[in-house]
Amino acid sequence: MALAKRIIPCLDCDKGRVVKGVKFVDIRDAGDPVEVSKRYCDAGADEITFLDITASHEDRNTTVDTVRAIAGQVFIPLTVGGGIRTLEDIRTMLNAGADKVAINTAAVHNPEFVREAAERFGSQCIVVAVDAKQVSAEDAPKTWEIFTHGGRNPTGLDAIAWVKKMVDYGAGEILLTSMDRDGTKIGFDLDLNRTVSQAVQVPVIASGGVGNLEHLAEGVLEGEADAVLAASIFHFGEYSIEEAKQHMASKGIEVRL
Amino acid sequence: MNKVAVIDYGMGNLHSVAKAVEHVGRESGEEVQVTVTPDAQLIAAADRVIFPGVGAIRDCMAEINRLNVGQIVEEAMKTKPVLAICVGMQALMEHSEENDGVDCLGFMPGQVRFFGNDLQDEESKRLKVPHMGWNKVTQTQAHPLWNGVPDESRFYFVHSYYVESGDKSKVTSTTSYGREVVASLADNNIFATQFHPEKSQTVGLTLLRNFLKWDGQT
């Protein structure tokens, strides 16, 4: 087994600025996604995920400029998510230099969009992002439901059936966020991740809940994740990408060192 | 002035490779002009040519045939260094299993095959398809494009179909994913990679820098 498990830092951006705070002491402008991306790339990040949370459509041009600027300086794969609703949105982001786009809400509203996107641009650049929440009772077999709008809106969709459908429709990768764990720092929902990973043929990125390096290793070893995504533990300088990789390597996980 | 043409036939993200080549040129202080174009004359006027490709082979081949890209590549292959990347490499083969079977350009002997849905590693653990991520590349023969690239370096791959070369002597590197997989091929002044050098950080940029200097000899 030589393929490395990937470590993916995630930048949440609003109007072209990194939000949720990045606190590197030795960085000139911690709000500049280009500088932050370059920093992660130099530190050995395997990919960068750029999540656009800009609310208004007008400000999205800034996002395109930002993606273009990152792509001009960062020579590892770049995934752009947030507000991807049309084939034109995808084309714009790919032309700006994104390698993949992550589709979330638009897929729930119109699953055919994923099929059209995969047919037009290829599965390799279509990531379907899902936000899942456990809905089963304590003592019942675990089930999870898909939520939208940051976990506020239930959809009635069973998470496992949904990701299978998305892969059938052409998703090349699944970005799986546990809404129960997001922001908690108590670790990934390993049962959720393992169940999804076993259900589909494509790679699964675990997201939501990372608080320490052991959580990253667990995500791979117990959650069967192909890649692990984290934001705050890297942004606040608690751990570096190098430390994360060293830790994972010490647990016998293949990483790119 | 080192003129590089990236052949644009409307398939996906060609800007990554153009930006990576510009970056490499800037860093080495060389004047490099990168043109992303479908224009046969501009491509003919370039010093070297990059033949990229992403997405499904049927759509790629349809556009290649519609825009007569095959002839453009064939002309370039006669006279100047050519770098084919990912589906660009697959398009050089004879035939691909993708999309229920698609005839390719047939400029190099070989078939493009599906990894399959039950791919396993040597320990019988299931492997995901597409093969997506950083894998070790074993250099199987010396080549100017490997200068400064350590053997067993990790490059970035993303593909569900792989090349089965009809001429093992053309294979310049391999990787392992459930089976031995061709990672790159070379034939005279053409070098073709399954991985994406433009997305493979330091080692990928080194390979691109080597390509900018390459005279097409081996």
Side-chain angles (χ1 to χ4, degrees):
Chain A
M1 185 63 194
L3 184 67
K5 299 295 178 182
R6 290 167 280 153
I7 295 185
I8 308 176
C10 177
L11 306 182
D12 288 30
C13 290
D14 186 8
K15 295 173 193 154
R17 302 286 292 173
V18 180
V19 292
K20 281 195 188 174
V22 174
K23 301 223 167 123
F24 296 136
V25 284
D26 54 343
I27 197 165
R28 191 163 43 84
D29 178 0
D32 177 11
V34 182
E35 206 167 333
V36 174
S37 301
K38 208 167 168 314
R39 158 87 173 230
Y40 284 135
C41 181
D42 291 345
D46 297 309
E47 293 188 25
I48 301 279
T49 289
F50 177 97
L51 210 52
D52 180 25
I53 57 169
T54 306
S56 79
H57 199 74
E58 301 79 70
D59 291 324
R60 290 196 167 260
N61 289 334
T62 315
T63 306
V64 177
D65 291 340
T66 307
V67 169
R68 190 174 290 119
I70 295 174
Q73 297 209 29
V74 170
F75 301 102
I76 58 175
L78 174 64
T79 301
V80 178
I84 304 288
R85 295 190 179 90
T86 65
L87 295 177
E88 195 50 41
D89 291 339
I90 299 175
R91 186 197 309 278
T92 302
M93 287 306 172
L94 296 181
N95 281 343
D99 298 284
K100 312 181 210 178
V101 293
I103 304 172
N104 190 335
T105 312
V108 173
H109 289 163
N110 175 20
E112 284 297 323
F113 174 49
V114 171
R115 198 197 296 274
E116 288 166 15
E119 274 175 11
R120 178 67 190 87
F121 302 103
S123 291
Q124 83 292 335
C125 68
I126 305 300
V127 181
V128 169
V130 301
D131 296 338
K133 213 184 231 186
Q134 191 179 330
V135 288
S136 49
E138 278 285 305
D139 47 356
K142 286 190 178 180
T143 55
W144 297 267
E145 185 178 331
I146 300 297
F147 280 68
T148 60
H149 298 89
R152 289 194 303 276
N153 298 2
T155 64
L157 295 165
D158 173 70
I160 308 307
W162 175 247
V163 293
K164 281 183 168 173
K165 178 171 171 174
M166 288 295 92
V167 172
D168 283 346
Y169 278 33
E173 193 170 34
I174 299 292
L175 169 53
L176 176 63
T177 302
S178 161
M179 299 315 294
D180 299 310
R181 299 302 177 89
D182 204 26
T184 64
K185 297 194 155 241
I186 59 170
F188 296 119
D189 183 338
L190 299 171
D191 289 332
L192 168 67
N193 207 85
R194 183 173 52 250
T195 309
V196 168
S197 190
Q198 289 177 353
V200 295
Q201 179 71 13
V202 303
V204 174
I205 305 167
S207 160
V210 176
N212 61 49
L213 300 182
E214 187 51 27
H215 292 153
L216 297 175
E218 284 171 2
V220 171
L221 297 173
E222 293 173 51
E224 301 185 14
D226 301 286
V228 286
L229 181 139
S232 56
I233 65 159
F234 297 131
H235 293 343
F236 293 98
E238 289 166 54
Y239 302 101
S240 67
I241 304 272
E242 294 97 321
E243 285 168 331
K245 289 197 166 178
Q246 292 295 350
H247 182 78
M248 287 169 76
S250 77
K251 298 285 168 161
I253 299 169
E254 287 259 2
V255 289
R256 180 177 69 110
L257 290 170
Chain B
M1 173 78 82
N2 197 339
K3 285 193 278 188
V4 182
V6 178
I7 305 178
D8 178 10
Y9 51 101
M11 294 305 292
N13 182 0
L14 309 181
H15 294 259
S16 291
V17 64
K19 282 183 169 175
V21 172
E22 280 167 1
H23 177 85
V24 162
R26 243 189 336 266
E27 280 207 321
S28 52
E30 190 193 4
E31 220 181 314
V32 176
Q33 185 190 75
V34 183
T35 313
V36 179
T37 179
D39 186 284
Q41 283 183 328
L42 285 176
I43 294 164
D47 299 305
R48 52 203 78 235
V49 170
I50 296 178
F51 181 38
V54 293
I57 193 82
R58 182 188 52 206
D59 297 344
C60 281
M61 283 311 303
E63 287 306 288
I64 285 168
N65 291 333
R66 190 176 70 83
L67 296 167
N68 216 4
V69 167
Q71 203 187 341
I72 293 170
V73 173
E74 199 171 21
E75 282 302 313
M77 283 169 68
K78 285 180 198 156
T79 54
K80 61 189 80 169
V82 175
L83 176 64
I85 299 172
C86 196
V87 179
M89 163 163 120
Q90 297 186 357
L92 298 173
M93 301 296 125
E94 292 159 303
H95 187 265
S96 173
E97 281 181 3
E98 194 176 0
N99 306 123
D100 300 321
V102 173
D103 283 332
C104 302
L105 292 168
F107 295 164
M108 293 179 97
Q111 304 292 318
V112 183
R113 307 231 183 261
F114 184 43
F115 272 120
N117 283 320
D118 47 6
L119 195 64
Q120 295 184 337
D121 68 7
E122 52 274 17
E123 290 157 9
S124 302
K125 269 170 59 183
R126 187 177 71 132
L127 293 174
K128 297 294 184 78
V129 176
H131 172 217
M132 184 188 286
W134 299 80
N135 210 339
K136 282 184 180 170
V137 169
T138 306
Q139 297 168 20
T140 51
Q141 55 178 294
H143 193 281
L145 263 62
W146 292 135
N147 285 345
V149 177
D151 195 14
E152 303 291 326
S153 292
R154 287 186 188 272
F155 284 84
Y156 187 79
F157 290 83
V158 49
H159 61 124
S160 298
Y161 293 79
Y162 64 95
V163 164
E164 194 176 83
S165 177
D167 182 353
K168 300 279 179 278
S169 73
K170 307 275 193 262
V171 177
T172 51
S173 69
T174 60
T175 189
S176 171
Y177 200 63
R179 64 180 75 245
E180 189 181 86
V181 174
V182 172
S184 65
L185 295 165
D187 189 10
N188 294 308
N189 51 335
I190 189 157
F191 196 89
T193 65
Q194 180 62 65
F195 54 81
H196 288 270
E198 76 281 13
K199 287 289 149 188
S200 298
Q201 214 197 359
T202 313
V203 290
L205 296 178
T206 301
L207 189 144
L208 291 176
R209 193 173 301 119
N210 293 337
F211 177 66
L212 287 179
K213 288 188 217 146
W214 187 34
D215 60 4
Q217 307 292 309
T218 47

